[in-house]
Amino acid sequence: RSFETLSGEDPFLGASLAAPFVEEVQKNGIIATIKHWLDNNQEIGRMTMDVEIGDRAQHEIYMPPFKAAIEAGAGAVMCAYNKVYGTYACENHKLLKELLRGDAGFRGMIMSDWGATHDAKNSVVAGLDVEMPGNGGKFEQLPQLVGSGEIEEAAIDKMAGHVLSTMYHTGHFDGRYPAEVPSSVQRTDVTSDD
């Protein structure tokens, strides 16, 4: 997947390039979204592969570019399609809460890739804040899951807090991001070929 990266698999180069990129993007009021968290290193089989990586390799090879982007203030992280340690990345407690929120210190919003949410409850419990379109809209089940007590309302509040604090951090509430959407993209489906 090196065609989507700044540096391929070089952790030092990636970390060196990520921070200034994030800073430049976000000073214009655009939320820098770093992706794909984590271990999404090949295109073929990315929807079904299961990656097993030791903690040392995670911290020394795969996490440094992300950590540098987080330290530079990146507002969002997009989780990947693949499984890691047997669980999809967007519903993986170890990836989202332990490594990303805990070890890397990320405080912004975590979003899925398009169609990468497989289970609403497991994703929320693991720390996913925003589901991007695709895969049947799993987060449409959240009102029922809260109503049945399977997910606490406090979890939804925390998710909303991550989104709103990211928007605040990047200037969406103080005019740094233009309020009007350009007419070239208004009401235009830019996410599919349909």
PDB file of all heavy atoms in Angstrom, residues 12 14 19 26 57 63 66 74 86 95 99 110 112 120 132 137-138 149 185 190:
ATOM      1  N   PHE A  12      11.424   6.091  10.127  1.00  0.00           N
ATOM      2  CA  PHE A  12      12.073   7.378  10.383  1.00  0.00           C
ATOM      3  C   PHE A  12      11.640   8.421   9.355  1.00  0.00           C
ATOM      4  O   PHE A  12      11.254   9.531   9.698  1.00  0.00           O
ATOM      5  CB  PHE A  12      13.604   7.224  10.372  1.00  0.00           C
ATOM      6  CG  PHE A  12      14.311   8.542  10.572  1.00  0.00           C
ATOM      7  CD1 PHE A  12      14.406   9.099  11.835  1.00  0.00           C
ATOM      8  CD2 PHE A  12      14.854   9.221   9.490  1.00  0.00           C
ATOM      9  CE1 PHE A  12      15.037  10.327  12.023  1.00  0.00           C
ATOM     10  CE2 PHE A  12      15.477  10.443   9.661  1.00  0.00           C
ATOM     11  CZ  PHE A  12      15.574  10.995  10.934  1.00  0.00           C
ATOM     12  N   GLY A  14       8.952   8.337   7.419  1.00  0.00           N
ATOM     13  CA  GLY A  14       7.529   8.586   7.598  1.00  0.00           C
ATOM     14  C   GLY A  14       7.254   9.543   8.743  1.00  0.00           C
ATOM     15  O   GLY A  14       6.457  10.476   8.616  1.00  0.00           O
ATOM     16  N   ALA A  19       4.709  14.957  10.375  1.00  0.00           N
ATOM     17  CA  ALA A  19       4.428  16.119  11.230  1.00  0.00           C
ATOM     18  C   ALA A  19       4.269  17.416  10.431  1.00  0.00           C
ATOM     19  O   ALA A  19       3.250  18.106  10.591  1.00  0.00           O
ATOM     20  CB  ALA A  19       5.501  16.258  12.304  1.00  0.00           C
ATOM     21  N   GLN A  26      -3.659  21.334   8.668  1.00  0.00           N
ATOM     22  CA  GLN A  26      -4.581  21.778   9.711  1.00  0.00           C
ATOM     23  C   GLN A  26      -4.550  23.278   9.967  1.00  0.00           C
ATOM     24  O   GLN A  26      -5.531  23.827  10.447  1.00  0.00           O
ATOM     25  CB  GLN A  26      -4.372  20.976  10.998  1.00  0.00           C
ATOM     26  CG  GLN A  26      -4.844  19.562  10.804  1.00  0.00           C
ATOM     27  CD  GLN A  26      -5.114  18.784  12.062  1.00  0.00           C
ATOM     28  OE1 GLN A  26      -5.715  17.751  11.979  1.00  0.00           O
ATOM     29  NE2 GLN A  26      -4.665  19.236  13.214  1.00  0.00           N
ATOM     30  N   ALA A  57       7.642  -4.707  17.078  1.00  0.00           N
ATOM     31  CA  ALA A  57       7.557  -4.252  15.690  1.00  0.00           C
ATOM     32  C   ALA A  57       6.483  -3.169  15.537  1.00  0.00           C
ATOM     33  O   ALA A  57       6.688  -2.201  14.807  1.00  0.00           O
ATOM     34  CB  ALA A  57       7.256  -5.428  14.759  1.00  0.00           C
ATOM     35  N   MET A  63       4.184   2.141  14.081  1.00  0.00           N
ATOM     36  CA  MET A  63       3.547   3.275  14.757  1.00  0.00           C
ATOM     37  C   MET A  63       4.274   4.618  14.650  1.00  0.00           C
ATOM     38  O   MET A  63       3.622   5.661  14.763  1.00  0.00           O
ATOM     39  CB  MET A  63       3.308   2.934  16.234  1.00  0.00           C
ATOM     40  CG  MET A  63       2.198   1.916  16.429  1.00  0.00           C
ATOM     41  SD  MET A  63       1.961   1.394  18.149  1.00  0.00           S
ATOM     42  CE  MET A  63       1.642   2.941  18.978  1.00  0.00           C
ATOM     43  N   PHE A  66       2.626   7.446  12.520  1.00  0.00           N
ATOM     44  CA  PHE A  66       1.348   7.823  13.131  1.00  0.00           C
ATOM     45  C   PHE A  66       1.582   8.651  14.389  1.00  0.00           C
ATOM     46  O   PHE A  66       0.919   9.667  14.603  1.00  0.00           O
ATOM     47  CB  PHE A  66       0.519   6.574  13.481  1.00  0.00           C
ATOM     48  CG  PHE A  66      -0.034   5.859  12.289  1.00  0.00           C
ATOM     49  CD1 PHE A  66       0.618   4.755  11.760  1.00  0.00           C
ATOM     50  CD2 PHE A  66      -1.223   6.261  11.708  1.00  0.00           C
ATOM     51  CE1 PHE A  66       0.102   4.077  10.667  1.00  0.00           C
ATOM     52  CE2 PHE A  66      -1.754   5.593  10.614  1.00  0.00           C
ATOM     53  CZ  PHE A  66      -1.081   4.498  10.087  1.00  0.00           C
ATOM     54  N   ALA A  74      -2.664  15.884  14.552  1.00  0.00           N
ATOM     55  CA  ALA A  74      -3.642  15.297  13.622  1.00  0.00           C
ATOM     56  C   ALA A  74      -4.978  15.110  14.323  1.00  0.00           C
ATOM     57  O   ALA A  74      -5.037  14.586  15.439  1.00  0.00           O
ATOM     58  CB  ALA A  74      -3.142  13.971  13.076  1.00  0.00           C
ATOM     59  N   GLY A  86      -6.755 -11.145  14.798  1.00  0.00           N
ATOM     60  CA  GLY A  86      -8.011 -11.864  14.685  1.00  0.00           C
ATOM     61  C   GLY A  86      -9.273 -11.021  14.724  1.00  0.00           C
ATOM     62  O   GLY A  86     -10.373 -11.552  14.616  1.00  0.00           O
ATOM     63  N   LEU A  95      -5.974  -2.236  19.153  1.00  0.00           N
ATOM     64  CA  LEU A  95      -5.517  -1.210  18.215  1.00  0.00           C
ATOM     65  C   LEU A  95      -6.015   0.178  18.596  1.00  0.00           C
ATOM     66  O   LEU A  95      -5.255   1.145  18.595  1.00  0.00           O
ATOM     67  CB  LEU A  95      -5.995  -1.509  16.794  1.00  0.00           C
ATOM     68  CG  LEU A  95      -5.357  -2.651  16.038  1.00  0.00           C
ATOM     69  CD1 LEU A  95      -5.840  -2.641  14.591  1.00  0.00           C
ATOM     70  CD2 LEU A  95      -3.858  -2.599  16.090  1.00  0.00           C
ATOM     71  N   LEU A  99      -3.248   0.806  21.827  1.00  0.00           N
ATOM     72  CA  LEU A  99      -2.135   1.367  21.063  1.00  0.00           C
ATOM     73  C   LEU A  99      -2.381   2.818  20.635  1.00  0.00           C
ATOM     74  O   LEU A  99      -1.497   3.665  20.786  1.00  0.00           O
ATOM     75  CB  LEU A  99      -1.846   0.503  19.829  1.00  0.00           C
ATOM     76  CG  LEU A  99      -1.358  -0.920  20.110  1.00  0.00           C
ATOM     77  CD1 LEU A  99      -1.179  -1.695  18.805  1.00  0.00           C
ATOM     78  CD2 LEU A  99      -0.066  -0.913  20.903  1.00  0.00           C
ATOM     79  N   ILE A 110     -11.828   8.954  15.742  1.00  0.00           N
ATOM     80  CA  ILE A 110     -11.447   7.753  15.002  1.00  0.00           C
ATOM     81  C   ILE A 110     -12.601   7.418  14.066  1.00  0.00           C
ATOM     82  O   ILE A 110     -13.746   7.291  14.502  1.00  0.00           O
ATOM     83  CB  ILE A 110     -11.173   6.566  15.939  1.00  0.00           C
ATOM     84  CG1 ILE A 110     -10.072   6.905  16.940  1.00  0.00           C
ATOM     85  CG2 ILE A 110     -10.813   5.328  15.124  1.00  0.00           C
ATOM     86  CD1 ILE A 110      -9.897   5.866  18.031  1.00  0.00           C
ATOM     87  N   SER A 112     -14.016   5.040  10.555  1.00  0.00           N
ATOM     88  CA  SER A 112     -13.796   3.837   9.752  1.00  0.00           C
ATOM     89  C   SER A 112     -13.430   4.231   8.337  1.00  0.00           C
ATOM     90  O   SER A 112     -13.679   5.349   7.905  1.00  0.00           O
ATOM     91  CB  SER A 112     -15.064   2.981   9.729  1.00  0.00           C
ATOM     92  OG  SER A 112     -16.054   3.581   8.911  1.00  0.00           O
ATOM     93  N   ALA A 120     -21.662  -2.770  14.850  1.00  0.00           N
ATOM     94  CA  ALA A 120     -21.805  -1.471  15.514  1.00  0.00           C
ATOM     95  C   ALA A 120     -21.387  -1.543  16.978  1.00  0.00           C
ATOM     96  O   ALA A 120     -20.594  -0.718  17.450  1.00  0.00           O
ATOM     97  CB  ALA A 120     -23.240  -0.980  15.393  1.00  0.00           C
ATOM     98  N   MET A 132     -17.934   5.701   8.325  1.00  0.00           N
ATOM     99  CA  MET A 132     -18.082   6.228   6.973  1.00  0.00           C
ATOM    100  C   MET A 132     -19.067   5.332   6.218  1.00  0.00           C
ATOM    101  O   MET A 132     -19.317   4.205   6.622  1.00  0.00           O
ATOM    102  CB  MET A 132     -16.724   6.291   6.277  1.00  0.00           C
ATOM    103  CG  MET A 132     -15.732   7.217   6.966  1.00  0.00           C
ATOM    104  SD  MET A 132     -16.366   8.872   7.324  1.00  0.00           S
ATOM    105  CE  MET A 132     -16.388   9.559   5.685  1.00  0.00           C
ATOM    106  N   GLY A 137     -24.461   0.547   6.708  1.00  0.00           N
ATOM    107  CA  GLY A 137     -24.735   1.517   7.760  1.00  0.00           C
ATOM    108  C   GLY A 137     -24.922   0.904   9.131  1.00  0.00           C
ATOM    109  O   GLY A 137     -25.994   1.004   9.731  1.00  0.00           O
ATOM    110  N   LYS A 138     -23.911   0.273   9.648  1.00  0.00           N
ATOM    111  CA  LYS A 138     -23.990  -0.407  10.946  1.00  0.00           C
ATOM    112  C   LYS A 138     -24.351   0.544  12.079  1.00  0.00           C
ATOM    113  O   LYS A 138     -25.050   0.173  13.013  1.00  0.00           O
ATOM    114  CB  LYS A 138     -22.680  -1.124  11.273  1.00  0.00           C
ATOM    115  CG  LYS A 138     -22.214  -2.114  10.231  1.00  0.00           C
ATOM    116  CD  LYS A 138     -23.202  -3.223  10.017  1.00  0.00           C
ATOM    117  CE  LYS A 138     -22.662  -4.213   9.006  1.00  0.00           C
ATOM    118  NZ  LYS A 138     -23.646  -5.137   8.531  1.00  0.00           N
ATOM    119  N   GLY A 149     -29.893  -1.009  26.099  1.00  0.00           N
ATOM    120  CA  GLY A 149     -28.881  -1.037  27.159  1.00  0.00           C
ATOM    121  C   GLY A 149     -27.589  -1.739  26.767  1.00  0.00           C
ATOM    122  O   GLY A 149     -26.689  -1.894  27.588  1.00  0.00           O
ATOM    123  N   VAL A 185     -19.184  21.045  -5.450  1.00  0.00           N
ATOM    124  CA  VAL A 185     -19.382  19.787  -4.736  1.00  0.00           C
ATOM    125  C   VAL A 185     -20.699  19.723  -3.983  1.00  0.00           C
ATOM    126  O   VAL A 185     -20.997  18.711  -3.375  1.00  0.00           O
ATOM    127  CB  VAL A 185     -18.222  19.492  -3.759  1.00  0.00           C
ATOM    128  CG1 VAL A 185     -16.931  19.284  -4.504  1.00  0.00           C
ATOM    129  CG2 VAL A 185     -18.099  20.560  -2.704  1.00  0.00           C
ATOM    130  N   VAL A 190     -19.742  12.304  -4.518  1.00  0.00           N
ATOM    131  CA  VAL A 190     -18.345  12.206  -4.911  1.00  0.00           C
ATOM    132  C   VAL A 190     -17.689  10.944  -4.376  1.00  0.00           C
ATOM    133  O   VAL A 190     -16.484  10.776  -4.465  1.00  0.00           O
ATOM    134  CB  VAL A 190     -17.536  13.442  -4.455  1.00  0.00           C
ATOM    135  CG1 VAL A 190     -18.023  14.690  -5.154  1.00  0.00           C
ATOM    136  CG2 VAL A 190     -17.586  13.593  -2.938  1.00  0.00           C
TER     137      VAL A 190
END
